[in-house]
Amino acid sequence: MTVPLGGIPLADHAAVYAALDRAGFTDVWSAEVNGADAFTPLALAAAWQPRLRLGTAITPAFTRGPGLLAMSAAALADAAPGRFALGIGASSPVVVGDWNAVPYTEPFRRTRDVLRFLRAALAGETVDGAYDTFTVRRFTLERPPATPPPVLLAALRPGMLRLAAAEADGVILNWLAADDVPRALGATGQRRPGFEVVARIFVCPTEDAAHARALGRRLITSYLTVPAYAEFHRWLGREEVFGPMWRAWAAGDRRGAGAAVPDEVVDALVLHGSPERCRDQVARYADAGVDVPVLALLPTPELAAGGATELSALIDRLGPARVAAPGGGGELR
């Protein structure tokens, strides 16, 4: 599950993590855009639920200096030995440049260089030298993790997918349909033993299809008009289906851009229906080669009306296994 969940203060997430654990969820993965940072929700999960695996999906390669990123990752790996995976990626010009005042230049090379730096630094090595996009002078982690975390790379198109396959411990996919997974993984070539495939999957567990599709269209027009995602979907073969949306968006017609997205495309990219139907649709990603399907839970009319009780029941119905809660109870508060 992607954490933190919307509308719930971080201080109240102990009950969320407990409910996820009881329902059979194995992992919690954070995102980092303009809400919580990537590490704080996971640090809380490390303390509150010692069985959950933790991951960042993703931490931008630009917004922290290389040394600080290594320290943050090492601290979480120290707090949750063997349970943390660090996902990094290029992020976007808006997040990096507009919001963090860092020039968004050469994203492929910057991400590659940060990946190489992290692999060395987290292994306890002293890093001293020039990369293509930055220079580090004699950096050594004071507290290198006893178990260095795997480093995964967010990737969309062939260049980054090949880099992930060659140098990372896994790949993180985003904004693709289950039927797109084989094409994405085909660009990675032969998978090495232990190479992990993670995918974030947007899920709106409601039988109110109009609500789910309206929300899905807003998300699609917000994300898939960003140049990197637009090129990704061109590569996936959606030039014809998304062309009208891209043209309307470029002309400033936001309403027309949303209206141009066909229902079947929304349904493929934003899963909806009953929680059980959503779970079955997520299983298609696993069948296609995804090792860790990470749900990104979207708001529904039922959640808005039902509050904590509805959320607790929903997590249970979405979970991969229905496990009796030790000691009883378990309602989210």
Side-chain angles (χ1 to χ4, degrees):
M1 182 67 76
T2 300
V3 294
L5 298 188
I8 302 175
L10 276 175
D12 295 338
H13 264 65
V16 173
Y17 296 140
L20 291 169
D21 182 58
R22 282 194 305 272
F25 284 87
T26 58
D27 295 36
V28 290
W29 289 72
S30 61
E32 188 168 87
V33 183
N34 61 345
D37 73 285
F39 293 99
T40 302
L42 302 184
L44 294 172
W48 288 336
Q49 283 300 322
R51 291 195 303 183
L52 289 175
R53 186 182 183 223
L54 320 169
T56 63
I58 51 89
T59 305
F62 284 91
T63 53
R64 292 176 182 81
L68 177 58
L69 182 52
M71 287 187 288
S72 298
L76 198 44
D78 195 16
R83 294 194 291 128
F84 171 58
L86 176 65
I88 65 168
S91 191
S92 72
V94 170
V95 172
V96 174
D98 294 351
W99 296 350
N100 285 282
V102 176
Y104 189 75
T105 56
E106 300 188 271
F108 176 85
R109 296 208 297 170
R110 170 74 181 202
T111 307
R112 180 203 62 196
D113 292 349
V114 170
L115 171 64
R116 291 174 177 175
F117 166 83
L118 288 169
R119 296 300 295 268
L122 292 170
E125 298 176 16
T126 296
V127 182
D128 183 27
Y131 295 85
D132 285 349
T133 57
F134 58 84
T135 298
V136 173
R137 293 300 183 202
R138 298 203 58 76
F139 176 83
T140 309
L141 280 170
E142 182 180 319
R143 296 172 62 96
T147 304
V151 183
L152 287 73
L153 188 64
L156 297 175
R157 287 181 289 157
M160 201 74 86
L161 289 162
R162 287 193 293 267
L163 176 63
E167 301 193 30
D169 297 304
V171 67
I172 300 171
L173 307 174
N174 193 22
W175 273 114
L176 78 174
D179 290 342
D180 297 325
V181 172
R183 179 168 176 80
L185 296 186
T188 67
Q190 185 69 33
R191 287 171 64 174
R192 292 178 280 107
F195 186 83
E196 193 165 38
V197 178
V198 178
R200 175 162 281 121
I201 303 165
F202 292 93
V203 175
C204 190
T206 178
E207 296 189 67
D208 184 343
H211 168 88
R213 286 171 176 158
L215 179 55
R217 282 189 169 85
R218 287 199 297 273
L219 289 170
I220 287 169
T221 53
S222 297
Y223 277 88
L224 303 190
T225 53
V226 173
Y229 282 108
E231 290 305 315
F232 175 48
H233 279 271
R234 285 189 176 95
W235 177 66
L236 290 174
R238 293 198 174 94
E239 174 76 46
E240 183 174 348
V241 73
F242 277 149
M245 176 189 75
W246 290 325
R247 289 190 291 273
W249 187 269
D253 182 3
R254 303 300 190 246
R255 187 185 298 273
V261 183
D263 283 351
E264 58 270 23
V265 178
V266 180
D267 296 348
L269 296 173
V270 178
L271 310 186
H272 59 91
S274 69
E276 291 77 13
R277 183 171 187 274
C278 289
R279 192 172 56 193
D280 290 344
Q281 292 178 83
V282 169
R284 295 186 59 233
Y285 285 82
D287 293 341
V290 172
D291 301 306
V292 185
V294 181
L295 309 190
L297 186 62
L298 300 177
T300 70
E302 296 85 352
L303 285 174
T309 301
E310 178 66 27
L311 178 57
S312 184
L314 174 62
I315 287 174
D316 187 58
R317 292 173 67 187
L318 280 173
R322 299 194 174 195
V323 182
E331 180 177 302
L332 291 173
R333 299 191 185 277

